[in-house]
Amino acid sequence: MAIDTRTGPPPARVPQPPAPVRVPGPAPVRRASRAAGWPRTVGTVVGVHAAATAAHLAALFVTASAAGGAGVRDRLLSWDARLYLGIAEDGYPAGITRDADGEPEGSTLAFFPLYPLLVRLAHRTLGSDMETAALLTAHLAFLGALFAVHGLIGALYGTRTATITLVLVAAAQPMAVVLVMAYAESLFLALAVGALLSVRRGHWLTAGVLALLTGLTRPAAAALALALAVAVVLEIRRLDRVTWRPVAALALACAGTPGYLLWVAERTGRLDGYFVVQEAGWGTHWDFGAAFAGFLGDTFRQGDGWVAVSTAFLLLAACALTALAWRRGVWPPLLVYGTAMLLLTVGQSNYYHSKLRLLAPALLLLVPLAVRLARAPRRTVVPTLLAAALFGTWYGAHMLVTWRYAI
C-alpha cells in the first residue's frame, strides 16, 4: 500500500496572465518573398505601362488622322501642357496679370511648381528640347505611379487584384490618356500612392516627404494630407502612445500646398493671390457642389451633347463606386484619400469637361471594380479588361482630338 508523504494540501494553481491583445497594424513586410517576386512585378508593371502607352498612342493616331490637323505629339503637348512648358522655360510672372480694363487674368501662377521644375531639370540634364523633356518626365512618373499602385493594392488585396487595377488605372478609366501627356497627373499619382504605400509599410518619414512633394504638384494634395491624418490617428490608437515619426510625416504633408500659396501671396502682394488667379482664369472656386448639381440638372433636362451626357453619367458612376468602397471597408487612409479627391472635384465650380481628368489619380473608385474582377474566372476577366481599355483609350483620344475645349 502506497504511503502518502504529503504533509499539506496541494499547492494552489498560480493564475497565468492573459495573452497580450494584438491590435491590427500595417502588415509585416516579408523581405525575402518580396525580393523573390520582384522580377515578376517589374515585368508586370513595365508590360502594362508599355501596352497602355501604345494603346493610347494608337487611339490618338487613328482619331487625329481622321480629324486632320495636329499630330499625336502636338496633342500630347496641348492645353495645360503648354502652360507647364511656359513655366519650365520662363518661370512665373512677377505678379497678377491684368487685361486692358485692369481686371485680373488667369496665369501660370495657378499651376504648381514641381512638375515644371522636373521638366527643366530633365531638359538641362539630357540636353533635349523642352517638349521631349516634358513628355519623358510624365512617362517616368507614369511608370513610377504604376509601381506604387501595384505595391499598395498588392499589399491590400493580393497580386491578381493589383494587376487588374494597373490596367484600370493605365488604360480603362475614361481620362487615362492624361497620364501619358505633359501634365502633372502622373506625377501626382506616383507621389500620392507612394506616400500611402509608405504609410502601409510603416515608413513614416518617407511618406511625409512624398506627401510634401505631392503638395507642390497639385492643390488636391489636401486629400492626401487628410488621409495621412487618419493614418496617424490609427497609429496612435494602435500603439496607445504618440511617437514623433507619424507626427513629423503629417507636418510635412501639411506644408507643401500652403507653402506654395504663401509664395504666390508674396509674389502677388495679396494673401488670396492664388485664388484670384484661379477665379479669373478658370472660374474655379469652392461652391459646395452647386455648379456640379446645376450641370447635372441642365444635362439631363436638355441632353446637350454627347460629351456632357457621358461626363454626367461617368461622374455619377464615380460617386457610386466611391460609396461602394465605403460599404466594402477599404483601408481607411486610401478610403479617405479617394473620397476627398472626389469631393474636391465635384465641390468646385470649374469646367465640367475637366472633372474626369482631375479624378484620374483618385484610385479609390477603381478598387471595387478590381476586387470584383479578381474573383471572376480568367475567361471573364481578360475580355472585360480589353473592352474597358478600348473604351478608355478611345474616350481619351476623343476628348483630346474631337472635343474643342480643354480637358
Side-chain angles (χ1 to χ4, degrees), residues 154-317:
L156 294 173
Y157 298 103
T159 303
R160 180 178 172 85
T161 306
T163 302
I164 292 171
T165 306
L166 289 186
V167 178
L168 296 178
V169 168
Q173 61 175 328
M175 288 305 297
V177 68
V178 75
L179 300 175
V180 300
M181 295 178 65
Y183 269 57
E185 268 68 20
S186 57
L187 179 61
F188 184 92
L189 177 62
L191 294 170
V193 180
L196 292 173
L197 177 59
S198 297
V199 168
R200 181 72 187 177
R201 292 177 173 175
H203 302 161
W204 288 99
L205 294 184
T206 301
V209 171
L210 292 175
L212 170 67
L213 295 175
T214 308
L216 295 174
T217 306
R218 270 186 53 188
L224 179 61
L226 186 60
L228 257 66
V230 170
V232 169
V233 170
L234 293 176
E235 181 71 358
I236 292 172
R237 291 180 59 186
R238 185 179 75 88
L239 299 176
D240 199 24
R241 60 190 174 92
V242 178
T243 55
W244 71 272
R245 291 177 186 271
V247 175
L250 181 57
L252 288 169
C254 295
T257 296
Y260 178 68
L261 297 184
L262 289 174
W263 182 85
V264 174
E266 190 277 333
R267 198 165 182 90
T268 59
R270 53 186 302 170
L271 192 59
D272 62 344
Y274 175 82
F275 303 100
V276 170
V277 172
Q278 277 275 45
E279 176 69 28
W282 295 268
T284 301
H285 61 272
W286 182 257
D287 67 352
F288 296 94
F292 175 63
F295 158 68
L296 292 180
D298 293 342
T299 299
F300 291 133
R301 281 197 305 269
Q302 302 170 8
D304 187 19
W306 183 86
V307 168
V309 173
S310 64
T311 299
F313 275 109
L314 288 169
L315 287 173
L316 289 177

Side-chain angles (χ1 to χ4, degrees), residues 49 53 84 114-115 118-119 133-149 169-170 173 175-194 214 217-218 337 341 357-362:
H49 174 266
T53 301
Y84 282 119
L114 185 59
Y115 174 67
L118 292 177
V119 171
L135 291 173
L136 178 61
T137 301
H139 274 273
L140 289 176
F142 181 26
L143 182 61
L146 294 184
F147 272 108
V149 168
V169 168
Q173 61 175 328
M175 288 305 297
V177 68
V178 75
L179 300 175
V180 300
M181 295 178 65
Y183 269 57
E185 268 68 20
S186 57
L187 179 61
F188 184 92
L189 177 62
L191 294 170
V193 180
T214 308
T217 306
R218 270 186 53 188
Y337 164 74
M341 286 286 291
R357 184 260 299 179
L358 296 175
L359 284 176

